[in-house]
Amino acid sequence: MSRPRFRAVLRAFVLPAAALLTLLSLPAAAPPAQAASPEPRPPRGFVALADVDPTILQEMRYVTVHNFTAHRVDGYLRPMCVLTREAADALHRAQRSLLRRGYGLKVYDCYRPQRAVNDFVEWAKDLADTRMKAEFYPRVEKTRLFEDGYIAAKSGHSRGSTLDVTIVKLPAWPTRPYVPGEPLVPCYAPRGQRFPDNSVDMGTGFDCFDTLSHTLDPRITGVQRANRLLLKSALEREGFVNLPEEWWHYTFKPEPFPDTYFDFPVLRRPAP
């Protein structure tokens, strides 16, 4: 083979080999990014309360920092009440009866995602975090929140037919915003001293971890007791059942989803 031809063959072999070595020396390509799993959507059978009765006031506490955890609770993406259709319709009927007497309903919480319940559980395990103790559980040690039943791993709220509710005298001015860091007052203090609420006086504030929150506690008398009984009678006529330990806690019966604990975030379901 002539010398020029030999050099041409050599170049034909060396150049591809060099290119192959360069390719092998490059870092492996990253695997294609996987799309994040979409959030579960509210199933059929759930509605936004405002679509059923826009006259019911909504002060959704867990989408704010003014609650016993001092942080916005996981799973609340919108400040809105979501309920099963049956519970929302029953609440609408109760609202109509109260409006004739110059009162209205106000909800603090409705459907609660399981992830929010999990958030409560993790907060309760952190015994060092007592930022809101002076308001929401001044007479209860945080070590007892599970034992005393204030925090649990499951909540009826996650089944969609349970809500936290109160009564307002109409017309009602909005409750002023909570200012993080402001002085805290016990939730069972006299109405003029505890955090202001545009609801009628129920004897304690919402989410007050105290036996005074028991609906029929004998120490609650006079107008405060009458207000609790007004709420109780208005809701019970429409199929709601009260949790005796919390004057604000009601569940519509029979529940459409008695054994299902949902975990879709609180947001508006797109129109079908």
Side-chain angles (χ1 to χ4, degrees):
M1 178 183 298
S2 66
R3 189 178 300 270
R5 182 172 177 78
F6 175 77
R7 290 195 184 115
V9 172
L10 184 61
R11 284 198 300 271
F13 173 78
V14 171
L15 290 178
L20 178 61
L21 290 174
T22 301
L23 180 63
L24 292 175
S25 66
L26 292 175
Q34 295 184 350
S37 299
E39 286 282 14
R41 308 295 290 179
R44 294 192 182 278
F46 281 77
V47 296
L49 178 62
D51 292 343
V52 177
D53 193 328
T55 70
I56 297 175
L57 300 181
Q58 299 188 29
E59 187 181 314
M60 312 309 291
R61 286 288 186 86
Y62 299 135
V63 78
T64 77
V65 298
H66 187 216
N67 63 72
F68 56 85
T69 72
H71 65 256
R72 182 170 178 162
V73 178
D74 190 18
Y76 290 88
L77 304 185
R78 296 288 185 273
M80 61 184 293
C81 171
V82 174
L83 288 170
T84 60
R85 164 64 72 173
E86 292 83 350
D89 286 344
L91 203 63
H92 169 61
R93 295 193 297 269
Q95 172 77 341
R96 286 192 302 180
S97 70
L98 286 168
L99 288 175
R100 290 192 288 268
R101 305 178 62 173
Y103 294 95
L105 294 169
K106 181 177 79 169
V107 292
Y108 297 109
D109 190 37
C110 299
Y111 158 74
R112 181 183 304 165
Q114 180 60 46
R115 68 190 71 183
V117 179
N118 297 343
D119 194 349
F120 290 168
V121 169
E122 291 306 309
W123 166 82
K125 291 177 180 178
D126 182 3
L127 300 182
D129 184 356
T130 57
R131 287 172 289 172
M132 302 301 282
K133 177 177 172 60
E135 178 175 352
F136 291 98
Y137 52 107
R139 294 193 287 215
V140 178
E141 291 305 315
K142 198 172 182 183
T143 55
R144 294 191 57 84
L145 293 183
F146 289 106
E147 184 176 354
D148 290 352
Y150 294 113
I151 302 293
K154 293 290 184 181
S155 170
H157 282 272
S158 301
R159 300 193 297 264
S161 295
T162 294
L163 66 151
D164 297 330
V165 60
T166 189
I167 290 177
V168 297
K169 180 68 175 175
L170 300 175
W173 294 99
T175 299
R176 74 161 175 84
Y178 166 75
V179 179
E182 69 176 85
L184 301 178
V185 177
C187 52
Y188 50 74
R191 176 183 174 86
Q193 298 178 22
R194 62 180 183 262
F195 186 83
D197 193 312
N198 59 1
S199 72
V200 299
D201 187 3
M202 294 291 192
T204 77
F206 164 62
D207 260 356
C208 188
F209 296 177
D210 195 274
T211 55
L212 280 173
S213 294
H214 293 188
T215 307
L216 300 179
D217 188 286
R219 293 168 292 176
I220 301 298
T221 60
V223 173
Q224 296 172 341
R225 186 177 185 86
N227 289 335
R228 292 188 182 189
L229 294 179
L230 175 61
L231 176 63
K232 190 171 186 288
S233 61
L235 293 181
E236 286 181 344
R237 279 196 301 268
E238 304 303 336
F240 288 94
V241 177
N242 175 239
L243 178 68
E245 291 77 20
E246 297 177 351
W247 61 256
W248 57 82
H249 182 117
Y250 285 84
T251 300
F252 177 76
K253 301 284 186 175
E255 295 184 64
F257 304 101
D259 303 311
T260 306
Y261 294 84
F262 294 96
D263 192 35
F264 60 88
V266 175
L267 45 71
R268 177 171 289 277
R269 186 181 191 277

